[in-house]
């Protein structure tokens, strides 16, 4: 295993991996801010201020609070609201990334769509074409 890691490191992949991790961490912070500070408030405004974070199911009969923080103090609760919020964040992030990758792919295809001009035939090809044309005339 150590030999395989040494080969991996010698190929320069470790540096590429480190750069990818750093870029991924920075991108993750940007996406988290985008979802938390921009997209989720818009969704909250569209749904009338619906907040999933306080959704829970009491697991104890003595839990009577309507607020999740108070309910946790009274006893055991199954707080599924945060799971709903994080799942919604994941779906939004996946959708945004899908749109970004799709747009980048279309842009790349658009740039590659123009075919390069045909290359000038070599001298041998020109001579062969002349011979062919002369033989057709004869």
């Amino acid at each position: 295993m150590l030999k395989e890691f040494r080969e991996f490191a010698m190929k320069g992949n470790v540096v590429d991996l480190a750069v990818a991790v750093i870029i991924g961490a920075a991108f993750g912070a940007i996406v988290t801010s985008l979802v938390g500070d921009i997209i989720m408030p818009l969704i909250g405004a569209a749904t009338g201020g619906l907040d999933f974070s306080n959704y829970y199911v009491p697991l104890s009969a003595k839990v009577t609070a309507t607020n999740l923080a108070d309910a946790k103090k009274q006893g055991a609760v199954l707080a599924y609201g945060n799971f709903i919020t994080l799942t919604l964040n994941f779906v939004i992030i996946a959708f945004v990334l899908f749109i970004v990758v799709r747009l980048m792919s279309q842009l790349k295809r658009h740039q590659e769509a123009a075919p390069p001009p045909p290359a000038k035939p070599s001298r041998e090809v020109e001579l062969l074409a002349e011979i062919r044309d002369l033989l057709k005339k004869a």
Side-chain angles (χ1 to χ4, degrees):
M1 187 168 123
L2 184 60
K3 182 180 177 183
E4 290 175 9
F5 179 74
R6 185 179 306 133
E7 289 175 13
F8 177 77
M10 296 305 282
K11 290 180 183 177
N13 294 338
V14 173
V15 174
D16 294 340
L17 180 63
V19 169
V21 167
I22 292 170
I23 290 173
F27 184 72
I30 291 169
V31 170
T32 301
S33 175
L34 173 72
V35 171
D37 298 333
I38 296 173
I39 295 174
M40 288 307 285
L42 294 174
I43 291 174
T47 60
L50 183 62
D51 183 16
F52 298 111
S53 62
N54 280 325
Y55 285 22
Y56 68 93
V57 173
L59 300 176
S60 173
K62 61 183 180 178
V63 176
T64 58
T66 58
N67 186 337
L68 177 61
D70 295 335
K72 284 184 176 182
K73 292 176 187 174
Q74 292 178 350
V77 294
L78 180 65
Y80 63 91
N82 194 33
F83 175 75
I84 292 173
T85 302
L86 291 175
T87 303
L88 189 59
N89 287 352
F90 171 77
V91 170
I92 291 169
I93 290 170
F95 179 72
V96 168
L97 287 177
F98 170 74
I99 296 297
V100 167
V101 169
R102 188 170 178 216
L103 290 174
M104 289 173 62
S105 175
Q106 287 177 350
L107 179 64
K108 184 177 179 182
R109 267 190 262 136
H110 179 68
Q111 289 175 348
E112 292 176 354
K120 182 181 177 195
S122 66
R123 180 68 183 140
E124 291 87 16
V125 172
E126 289 176 353
L127 288 173
L128 288 172
E130 283 181 34
I131 293 171
R132 181 196 64 211
D133 295 340
L134 290 172
L135 288 174
K136 281 184 181 179
K137 289 180 182 178

